[in-house]
Amino acid sequence: MTTTQADLVPDPAGEPGATTSSGLTVETAEPASEEPGAHWEPDGEAAEADAEAAHWSEHHLLRAAVRWVLVIGSTIVIYSAFLLAKGADPLAVLRSMWDTALGNPDAIGETLIRSTPLLMAALAAAVPARAGLFNLGGEGQLLMGAIGAFLVANRLDAGAPSVPTLVLMGLGGAAMGFLWAALPALLKVVTRTNEAISSLLLNYIAALVVTWLCFEPWKDPTSLGQAYSRELVDGERFPVIWGARVHAGIFVALVAAVVLWWVLRSTTWGFKLRVVGGNSAAARRAGLAVGGLSIAAIGLGGALAGLGGMIEVAGTEGRLRPDLLVGIGFIGFLASWLGRHDPLKACLAALLLGAIAVGGSGLRITAGLSGGAVNILMALVLITVLGWGPRRTRSAA
């Protein structure tokens, strides 16, 4: 006799087994232990995949933590060996650097001030890097931005309210930075001149222009032989928000970093830059305007550097000097690489390098070392971070 599904009657006692209407007993599985309304459980393959992903994530985090411990530890060990070779006490020097850079609110404020132009110079290098280009002219673009800001300030002659004046000075600085950066970009596209070399050489020309302005047409008549420009007045300066020197221009730099991060990550233009940076020949075959994207990338980097120059003169310096922003462009370039050309990571990199720079300002007093000794520490940080950095998998590459 054939047993059908309709003939099965559940055991009223809830015990294993069921009885058919014809008297046959059929073994059934153990009743489910789930309560009504319990959550759905994924099938075996999905659960296994989730477990594997969770294990990979934990393994990745553990490797990242170990890597950073090794990076920091090896940097401190190597730099301590250098200090010992110079006859200094490593513990005393490192403690002094910490106190100078982060030991009190005024020290933290000084670190933030030093980090701001570094961040803008890092952003100037990060944008072209996304397109596979090297912008070593951040320092010159910072200086030209400072000149552009002064041009606007001199034109307005303190005849406008503070906010419009600062906005116009920022636009003037960004425009000058863009135009200065457009030179190596055009040479790259038109004559195939290496943009790294041309942008680097333009740094020296920009420094000569600033020196000439400070000695000749813009020299402060009350400077008593010193070479610098007039001092910007209150309406042409960012307001001080903390202590005696921390100014509101810091927020302009942070907003610029966040906006740039969003543009590079979420817009079609940012995606095109990544395509060009990944394979320019393939991007050209796909119909992308590689030349225009390259000019736009370097130009935007120059505009950000020019804005950084405006922030420096309108926030910290207040006037042009021949030695304005010396070395900032190159350290900012390192900060961009340290942050792997990510604008948000570049903020942390600029803060780290700014703290090292400020901490090293007291080395001559505490250890009899030159202030340039911190450059060794910066180089060690860069080498160890990039050397111990995560390797890209073949599939990711």
Side-chain angles (χ1 to χ4, degrees):
M1 184 176 61
T2 303
T3 303
T4 62
Q5 184 72 22
D7 296 330
L8 297 177
V9 179
D11 187 354
E15 296 180 354
T19 305
T20 67
S21 56
S22 58
L24 295 176
T25 301
V26 179
E27 295 294 333
T28 61
E30 290 288 335
S33 59
E34 289 183 350
E35 296 294 335
H39 293 292
W40 174 84
E41 293 293 342
D43 58 22
E45 293 183 358
E48 184 178 353
D50 290 344
E52 184 178 355
H55 176 72
W56 183 88
S57 179
E58 293 176 359
H59 180 69
H60 181 73
L61 291 175
L62 179 61
R63 288 188 59 184
V66 171
R67 185 173 66 249
W68 275 106
V69 169
L70 291 175
V71 165
I72 297 173
S74 59
T75 301
I76 293 176
V77 169
I78 296 174
Y79 192 63
S80 298
F82 164 76
L83 293 174
L84 285 173
K86 299 294 291 185
D89 181 359
L91 291 178
V93 170
L94 294 175
R95 187 184 305 113
S96 173
M97 291 181 65
W98 174 270
D99 293 339
T100 305
L102 301 168
N104 55 68
D106 289 338
I108 294 174
E110 195 64 30
T111 297
L112 292 176
I113 291 173
R114 187 71 64 91
S115 302
T116 301
L118 293 180
L119 172 59
M120 300 305 291
L123 299 182
V127 182
R130 290 298 186 98
L133 302 170
F134 293 92
N135 180 19
L136 291 174
E139 189 151 320
Q141 293 148 20
L142 283 164
L143 292 175
M144 297 310 293
I147 292 174
F150 252 88
L151 279 172
V152 173
N154 290 340
R155 186 71 177 175
L156 294 176
D157 196 19
S162 178
V163 173
T165 298
L166 290 173
V167 171
L168 291 175
M169 288 174 63
L171 293 176
M176 285 294 288
F178 178 88
L179 294 175
W180 197 250
L183 295 176
L186 290 172
L187 290 174
K188 169 73 175 179
V189 174
V190 177
T191 65
R192 297 188 180 277
T193 303
N194 187 289
E195 78 282 359
I197 300 299
S198 56
S199 60
L200 175 65
L201 295 178
L202 285 174
N203 290 337
Y204 301 99
I205 299 177
L208 290 174
V209 173
V210 171
T211 301
W212 173 73
L213 289 173
C214 292
F215 272 98
E216 294 293 339
W218 287 358
K219 182 179 180 181
D220 186 354
T222 64
S223 63
L224 299 177
Q226 299 295 320
Y228 50 73
S229 70
R230 72 173 179 91
E231 186 172 10
L232 296 174
V233 298
D234 288 342
E236 301 164 342
R237 302 284 301 271
F238 282 110
V240 175
I241 58 174
W242 182 11
R245 283 166 48 87
V246 181
H247 53 82
I250 293 174
F251 296 113
V252 177
L254 291 176
V255 170
V258 173
V259 171
L260 180 62
W261 172 80
W262 178 80
V263 168
L264 294 178
R265 181 184 178 89
S266 305
T267 65
T268 304
W269 188 78
F271 174 74
K272 290 179 179 178
L273 279 190
R274 294 198 299 273
V275 173
V276 172
N279 190 326
S280 60
R284 189 174 288 106
R285 286 195 295 270
L288 296 182
V290 175
L293 287 169
S294 299
I295 294 175
I298 298 180
L300 178 58
L304 290 167
L307 181 60
M310 175 269 175
I311 293 173
E312 185 68 7
V313 294
T316 304
E317 296 289 341
R319 64 172 85 226
L320 285 180
R321 293 184 289 103
D323 57 349
L324 180 71
L325 295 165
V326 171
I328 295 297
F330 297 109
I331 300 176
F333 184 81
L334 298 181
S336 176
W337 278 89
L338 199 59
R340 299 185 183 279
H341 311 309
D342 184 305
L344 298 185
K345 293 179 181 177
C347 294
L348 299 177
L351 186 63
L352 172 63
L353 296 181
I356 293 175
V358 172
S361 60
L363 285 182
R364 183 179 295 277
I365 299 175
T366 58
L369 297 174
S370 168
V374 296
N375 293 334
I376 296 176
L377 181 56
M378 291 183 184
L380 288 175
V381 170
L382 184 68
I383 292 172
T384 51
V385 169
L386 296 182
W388 289 84
R391 293 179 175 82
R392 299 176 65 185
T393 62
R394 181 168 299 180
S395 59

